[in-house]
Amino acid sequence: MRVALINPRFRLPIDTRTTAHLGLAYLGAVSERRGDEVRIFDADIEEQPMDEFIREFRPHVVGITANTPQVKQAWRHAAQIKAIHDVPIVIGGPHPSVAAEDLDFESAGQTGIDLVVRGEGEEAWTEICDRLESFLRDQEGYSTRTLMDPGKRLWDDIQGITFQTSDGELHRNPDRPAIADLDSLPWPAYHLFKMHKYTNLQPATDHIDGARSFSIMTSRGCPYRCTFCSQSIMPIKWRSRTPENVLAEWRHLVDDLGAQEIGVLDDSANIRKKRLYELADMLIDNHLNHVPWIFVNGIRANLADYDLMSKLKQAGLKRTAFGVETGNPQILKQIDKNIDLDTIRQAFKVCNEVGLETIGFFIIGLPGENRQTMQDTINFAIELNPLIANFSMMTPYPGTKVYADVKQHGRMMIQDWEDYVFFEQQARYEMGEMTAAMVEEMYRKAYRQFYLRPSPIIRRLASRDFWYNLPRNMRIARRTFLPKAEKTGLRRKIEAESLA
Ligand code: B12
Ligand code: SF4
């Protein structure tokens, strides 16, 4: 079959890095394993209009991915495609996977969308394509409406999907268990992307373009449930690939694709330390440790001891992120992070001793905060002094505990899914004594107090990447430090573009 996979356009109002979509890369790989002809249309980087692509390729099935701020664009794309080519359209990704808020039904009811896949997609996608292929074999011509005929019961036994039959009834099939054997998955199909069009997600090396910067996922899931974290895709059960399987893909990235840096995207890569020791030894023994790599997302600070971090450093690790979130002990308890400030301090100390660069993720405006607790976070960031301090304003994603709390006790200030981005300078909710004005003020203060100190300024100026990317860095600095009027203009521009 001809399979089209689409990443809807959603350019963040920041100079975000664009990267090949790993979820679509996996789906593309399983489709190719089925024998399909696959095209990926990443609206963020394509120059060709999407309708032209659909008319030319005439896919037998379309898959669209969506996180929360992308979902409305995904629906627009679905309606647009259906209007020119009657093809089954499947949506998946973090947003429609939130069944707790009926967000699967929300997408299933949209014009153009036939099926919703909840959670990890590889197995459901394969089953849907298998089913569709055998159905199409018996058809001369058909309309997608016949696929959704309740009498045909075509989709009743596929786990983890939601759909609306043509009589208007919504169906939510039972959940699909998490993929138990991650080694059984093919490697992400990067050859389906125009890799030269991407930048690197989190540059560890000076000025490497996307063609030489790749992502990898060595484990899936996270055993924790922080109150703010949107975990609709990855189940609580943490699973990992074997070190041998990871090594083989790593070698492929370096030897076949010419990777000059690698970003590990795991939610919590260091849950099982033994596995990382084994992987590190293998990278060293196989002479793959010359390619720098980084933990793009936070690893657990309580599991980042000296021995492990120094072994990982020998294996090529250059930089690691930690989800610090807050500098206030009480707020830290309330967000169920299951960690304390001293443990976080220790992890940063270890990384400094070992010579690893660090990234700290901090949240301004968690439930229960006041000016002082937010100041505690800024002070803690300055004390830890990571290479990169990333402050974001708390954005309550549907399905999280914070979302439920704000709905019940606070005042949500955004109603549109397209506003669920957290690098704008606007607070997303108010609760208790925490006003939007206070959060916005503290957010700006966080960036000013952290970055406008001599040591970060000198560090930036000393890095070659800063000079290579000077125009981009100046734009980021201007947007970060200037008042929010600048942002509003940017937002309007994006809206206008997406309507055009
Ligand atoms: C890397 C990453 C990024 C990167 C790259 C994003 C990208 N293009 O992939 C960057 C930094 C750009 C980014 C930005 C943002 N991100 Co982000 N990101 C991630 C991260 C850490 C890994 C993504 C990943 O590769 N996952 C692994 C792959 C295998 O999973 P997947 O992409 O979800 O795809 C699987 C399933 O979802 C499903 N599936 C997905 N699409 C489809 C489509 C079909 C048809 C089917 C059948 C199945 C299916 O099958 C796939 C295979 O199993 C996740 C956390 C996580 N664990 O996933 C957060 C995450 C996706 N991001 C999140 C958020 C909030 C954002 C931002 C909105 C943050 C912001 N700045 O405001 C932006 C949005 C940017 C945008 N343009 O859309 C949230 C999403 C929550 C939500 N409800 O939408 C997550 C889940 C983090 C979290 N736990 O809160 N992100
Ligand atoms: S923030 Fe990190 S540790 Fe907490 S649930 Fe999300 S991925 Fe897990």
Side-chain angles (χ1 to χ4, degrees):
M1 290 201 300
R2 286 188 301 278
V3 169
L5 294 167
I6 296 180
N7 184 32
R9 175 164 159 71
F10 190 87
R11 220 176 269 288
L12 285 170
I14 57 161
D15 247 288
T16 188
R17 306 258 170 188
T18 51
T19 176
H21 193 286
L22 189 59
L24 294 187
Y26 269 111
L27 295 180
V30 293
S31 283
E32 285 197 328
R33 188 155 74 178
R34 261 184 33 88
D36 295 325
E37 181 188 350
V38 186
R39 298 263 175 90
I40 290 184
F41 186 90
D42 182 347
D44 258 345
I45 55 120
E46 291 293 342
E47 272 146 34
Q48 187 185 28
M50 194 198 54
D51 47 359
E52 196 181 301
F53 159 75
I54 294 291
R55 279 199 183 94
E56 266 174 36
F57 186 47
R58 301 201 67 73
H60 293 104
V61 60
V62 172
I64 309 182
T65 190
N67 56 35
T68 297
Q70 274 179 313
V71 75
K72 285 179 66 184
Q73 186 71 340
W75 300 337
R76 284 182 211 122
H77 281 338
Q80 203 184 342
I81 294 169
K82 220 34 160 240
I84 54 172
H85 179 50
D86 189 19
V87 60
I89 300 181
V90 186
I91 190 172
H95 186 85
S97 293
V98 185
E101 295 284 339
D102 284 348
L103 299 187
D104 55 340
F105 286 159
E106 179 198 40
S107 275
Q110 300 295 324
T111 312
I113 290 178
D114 298 298
L115 299 170
V116 175
V117 170
R118 311 188 308 267
E120 283 173 294
E122 290 87 346
E123 292 178 349
W125 177 247
T126 308
E127 282 181 34
I128 289 169
C129 292
D130 288 349
R131 184 70 44 94
L132 206 55
E133 191 164 45
S134 42
F135 177 82
L136 290 179
R137 214 169 278 140
D138 308 329
Q139 306 294 316
E140 275 292 296
Y142 81 107
S143 95
T144 44
R145 223 180 133 72
T146 55
L147 289 175
M148 306 316 290
D149 179 343
K152 286 212 161 51
R153 306 177 70 93
L154 215 53
W155 310 110
D156 285 10
D157 59 342
I158 298 191
Q159 290 176 315
I161 66 168
T162 300
F163 54 95
Q164 188 174 31
T165 37
S166 51
D167 56 358
E169 198 164 322
L170 288 161
H171 305 257
R172 178 182 293 145
N173 290 1
D175 288 346
R176 176 176 291 271
I179 299 172
D181 177 13
L182 294 181
D183 283 6
S184 67
L185 294 175
W187 297 331
Y190 285 120
H191 59 275
L192 298 171
F193 291 83
K194 295 175 177 149
M195 287 306 288
H196 63 282
K197 294 247 183 169
Y198 296 95
T199 54
N200 51 350
L201 185 56
Q202 175 54 260
T205 319
D206 289 329
H207 202 57
I208 301 273
D209 64 22
R212 296 282 171 266
S213 169
F214 291 87
S215 304
I216 192 169
M217 217 171 210
T218 75
S219 67
R220 288 186 180 185
C222 174
Y224 298 88
R225 277 297 174 267
C226 302
T227 57
F228 57 86
C229 182
S230 177
Q231 282 286 8
S232 57
I233 291 298
M234 298 298 173
I236 196 150
K237 192 168 166 37
W238 181 85
R239 296 139 300 141
S240 64
R241 298 163 60 187
T242 59
E244 291 77 9
N245 181 269
V246 175
L247 177 77
E249 187 188 341
W250 208 293
R251 195 197 302 279
H252 164 67
L253 295 180
V254 174
D255 291 350
D256 304 336
L257 304 184
Q260 290 183 341
E261 64 169 45
I262 292 174
V264 177
L265 292 190
D266 302 25
D267 279 334
S268 292
N270 59 339
I271 296 297
R272 200 175 299 141
K273 291 198 278 181
K274 184 168 171 285
R275 175 188 83 102
L276 283 187
Y277 276 111
E278 285 168 14
L279 176 62
D281 279 333
M282 286 180 184
L283 292 175
I284 296 165
D285 294 348
N286 287 276
H287 310 291
L288 288 166
N289 53 341
H290 64 282
V291 175
W293 53 281
I294 72 171
F295 285 124
V296 177
N297 296 311
I299 58 167
R300 291 290 306 182
N302 53 320
L303 298 169
D305 58 60
Y306 184 91
D307 287 349
L308 178 66
M309 298 320 283
S310 69
K311 172 61 88 178
L312 293 173
K313 162 102 174 143
Q314 285 170 46
L317 179 64
K318 180 167 178 179
R319 183 184 302 164
T320 184
F322 292 99
V324 180
E325 329 302 0
T326 172
N328 178 276
Q330 194 50 41
I331 300 289
L332 190 55
K333 261 206 199 93
Q334 283 169 21
I335 59 173
D336 293 346
K337 189 95 200 173
N338 279 312
I339 207 151
D340 58 45
L341 295 180
D342 279 341
T343 309
I344 298 172
R345 280 191 182 96
Q346 180 60 20
F348 276 79
K349 184 166 167 271
V350 158
C351 289
N352 285 340
E353 284 166 7
V354 167
L356 286 171
E357 296 172 352
T358 49
I359 308 171
F361 292 121
F362 302 89
I363 304 176
I364 300 288
L366 284 157
E369 291 233 69
N370 54 37
R371 208 181 291 274
Q372 184 51 53
T373 62
M374 294 185 244
Q375 187 61 50
D376 290 344
T377 300
I378 302 173
N379 296 346
F380 196 45
I382 291 171
E383 178 193 332
L384 298 174
N385 202 20
L387 175 71
I388 298 164
N390 189 315
F391 299 93
S392 49
M393 257 186 258
M394 179 60 225
T395 304
Y397 283 92
T400 62
K401 189 158 178 295
V402 173
Y403 184 84
D405 275 5
V406 175
K407 282 254 147 166
Q408 215 185 335
H409 307 294
R411 190 164 76 84
M412 198 75 87
M413 298 175 72
I414 38 174
Q415 313 302 335
D416 188 334
W417 294 135
E418 283 181 333
D419 286 326
Y420 278 69
V421 286
F422 48 63
F423 290 131
E424 287 183 314
Q425 291 188 14
Q426 275 158 322
R428 301 318 193 187
Y429 73 100
E430 293 185 322
M431 199 153 80
E433 63 174 287
M434 193 171 64
T435 63
M438 184 197 293
V439 175
E440 289 166 12
E441 175 200 325
M442 295 308 283
Y443 171 81
R444 284 195 295 274
K445 191 172 177 198
Y447 272 102
R448 275 201 313 272
Q449 281 202 345
F450 186 87
Y451 281 104
L452 299 182
R453 293 176 299 137
S455 70
I457 292 176
I458 292 166
R459 216 153 46 182
R460 294 262 132 203
L461 295 180
S463 104
R464 274 194 295 160
D465 191 60
F466 178 83
W467 297 104
Y468 279 133
N469 292 305
L470 190 62
R472 174 178 180 272
N473 286 326
M474 295 313 287
R475 279 198 303 276
I476 292 176
R478 206 177 57 229
R479 279 177 213 152
T480 307
F481 298 117
L482 284 186
K484 70 182 178 198
E486 166 99 358
K487 294 266 169 171
T488 316
L490 270 161
R491 174 67 212 262
R492 268 198 225 108
K493 185 164 164 261
I494 292 155
E495 277 170 356
E497 272 178 26
S498 72
L499 289 174

